[in-house]
Amino acid sequence: MDLRPLRIAAFRRLWASGAVTAVGASCTAVAVPLQIYDLTGSSAWVGLSAVAALGPLTAAALWGGVLADAVDRRRLLLVTNGGIALVCVLLWAQAAAGLGSVAVLFVLLGLLQGCLGANMAARGAVVPRLVPAELLPAANALDAMVRWAGPVVGPLLAGALLPVTGVAPLYLLDAAALCVMLRAVALLPPLPPAALPGARADGGIAGGLRYLAGQRLLLVVLLADLVAMVLGNPAALLPQLSQETFGDPAGGGMALGLLSAALPLGAVLAGACSGAFTGLRRHGLVITVAVCVWGGAVAAFGLTHRLWLALCFLVVGGAALMLLSVFRTTVLQAAVTDEVRGRLQGPVTVVSAGGPWVAHLVHGPAGAAFGTAWAISGGGLLTVAAMATLAACCPDLLRHTAAAPPVR
């Protein structure tokens, strides 16, 4: 692993607390679609949860990016993390009370995604302030590794707890973990706006979007991420797949936990080898290959009926997603100055966090109508085809090379 960014105390604290909160967040990520599926008995409703999530996520991410360029980013992280913790407590309350209301669950999901969107936009603009530019790939690899490590432990923990406790305690675990993050953020140094007030104030959301529209490479990188996260993401079908194909009982079981954990496990394993790839400079080529490998792994995953083989394909796909995440984030962070970085992170968050919700909206009804095998494998093949088309139409992506690090 490339551990050089951990020598910086502020980044080290943020990184360590992220490992704890990632576990809690992954418990909620398992609990919400499972609760919807148990209440309705249909993956289509799981997919429709995207309608409740996408609007608040999009609006909050865009406005959060504007605020990240106008206020102290440390304070913005404190407010948004506190909001996420409060919504998790409300999710626990509705589950513990046995309301059984999909409408209430959708409202709380929208609130949760709104807080998360603003938080992600701010956090994406914080890391480049904490580490020098030459360490950004290594820092993003470490950051992505802890984000993926939580979904290894969290779903396994959820799979073990669900048959005993149900979904309610999973929400409390998330709220408790966020208290650790609040403490770490409070210890960060002040992160005031960059010293160009005019650049901060002009344009707002529209200014950020206009800036992005003029950056061809950034648009292509975002499209590559969107292709992977929408066409190839089968997360909405995991509750149905675990019960119909791999024998889980109603209400969830270990197969769902294993399937949910396999993808992030592959990402963690790739992160453990980050020293082998953080020095790569052909960032565009790495992004292209990573998306194609991800699509191929998903296509193979959808065709297997053996749990161990399905887990292997998801591990490979997770490793590909790790590389995509690291180099996509590095390209987007390095291509702009700090004065507009927050406003750029708004659209980036909409794509990276909103893409999986669009995938829910697409894959959920498709799985309910055609079965999980067709929906998952077809999406994987479409991912490969769409990425190949995108690379052919924009050869600048394949040619993009990062600037050489400064000579010490």
Side-chain angles (χ1 to χ4, degrees):
M1 293 175 62
D2 190 342
L3 300 177
R4 290 174 296 163
L6 295 182
R7 299 170 188 166
I8 302 169
F11 177 80
R12 184 171 63 249
R13 281 194 293 268
L14 192 65
W15 178 81
S17 62
V20 178
T21 55
V23 174
S26 64
C27 288
T28 296
V30 171
V32 170
L34 178 60
Q35 195 176 2
I36 295 172
Y37 186 73
D38 285 343
L39 289 174
T40 63
S42 172
S43 288
W45 278 97
V46 179
L48 287 173
S49 64
V51 176
L54 271 174
L57 173 68
T58 300
L62 294 174
W63 278 111
V66 173
L67 289 174
D69 287 338
V71 303
D72 188 301
R73 291 170 184 170
R74 180 174 67 97
R75 293 181 181 177
L76 185 57
L77 285 178
L78 284 171
V79 171
T80 53
N81 277 305
I84 296 171
L86 177 60
V87 177
C88 287
V89 172
L90 295 176
L91 282 166
W92 164 79
Q94 63 84 29
L99 291 182
S101 171
V102 176
V104 170
L105 196 56
F106 277 18
V107 170
L108 293 177
L109 178 61
L111 291 174
L112 181 69
Q113 292 303 309
C115 294
L116 182 64
N119 181 267
M120 290 180 66
R123 184 181 171 90
V126 162
V127 174
R129 290 280 291 272
L130 301 180
V131 300
E134 64 267 24
L135 293 184
L136 272 180
N140 287 325
L142 288 167
D143 207 26
M145 185 177 176
V146 296
R147 288 201 314 270
W148 285 105
V152 175
V153 179
L156 294 176
L157 181 61
L161 289 177
L162 281 169
V164 180
T165 65
V167 298
L170 301 184
Y171 297 124
L172 275 186
L173 282 175
D174 195 2
L178 282 159
C179 294
V180 178
M181 175 61 79
L182 286 170
R183 174 63 177 168
V185 172
L187 293 174
L188 288 177
L191 298 169
L196 289 176
R200 284 200 318 271
D202 290 345
I205 293 175
L209 294 176
R210 283 195 301 269
Y211 180 87
L212 179 61
Q215 305 294 319
R216 178 182 173 87
L217 176 65
L218 301 188
L219 287 173
V220 173
V221 170
L222 286 179
L223 281 174
D225 192 55
L226 196 63
V227 164
M229 290 296 95
V230 173
L231 297 180
N233 191 344
L237 299 176
L238 293 186
Q240 179 183 350
L241 185 71
S242 66
Q243 295 180 26
E244 293 182 355
T245 304
F246 299 117
D248 257 1
M254 187 51 68
L256 177 60
L258 290 171
L259 291 171
S260 300
L263 193 67
L265 175 61
V268 170
L269 292 176
C273 305
S274 61
F277 61 79
T278 52
L280 295 175
R281 295 179 58 205
R282 296 287 301 277
H283 292 180
L285 179 61
V286 175
I287 289 171
T288 302
V289 172
V291 174
C292 291
V293 172
W294 160 243
V298 169
F301 163 67
L303 295 176
T304 184
H305 293 272
R306 297 181 181 179
L307 182 58
W308 69 268
L309 189 57
L311 297 176
C312 290
F313 287 131
L314 288 178
V315 167
V316 172
L321 282 187
M322 164 62 88
L323 267 70
L324 170 62
S325 174
V326 168
F327 289 99
R328 178 256 296 161
T329 304
T330 299
V331 170
L332 295 171
Q333 287 175 341
V336 298
T337 59
D338 192 69
E339 291 80 14
V340 296
R341 188 170 282 132
R343 279 171 286 173
L344 178 65
Q345 286 300 314
V348 170
T349 301
V350 171
V351 171
S352 60
W357 286 111
V358 177
H360 270 54
L361 191 60
V362 173
H363 286 261
F370 305 111
T372 55
W374 281 99
I376 294 173
S377 295
L381 293 175
L382 283 175
T383 299
V384 176
M387 187 66 242
T389 302
L390 188 61
C393 293
C394 184
D396 288 347
L397 176 64
L398 297 177
R399 291 195 294 261
H400 175 68
T401 303
V407 177
R408 295 188 181 276

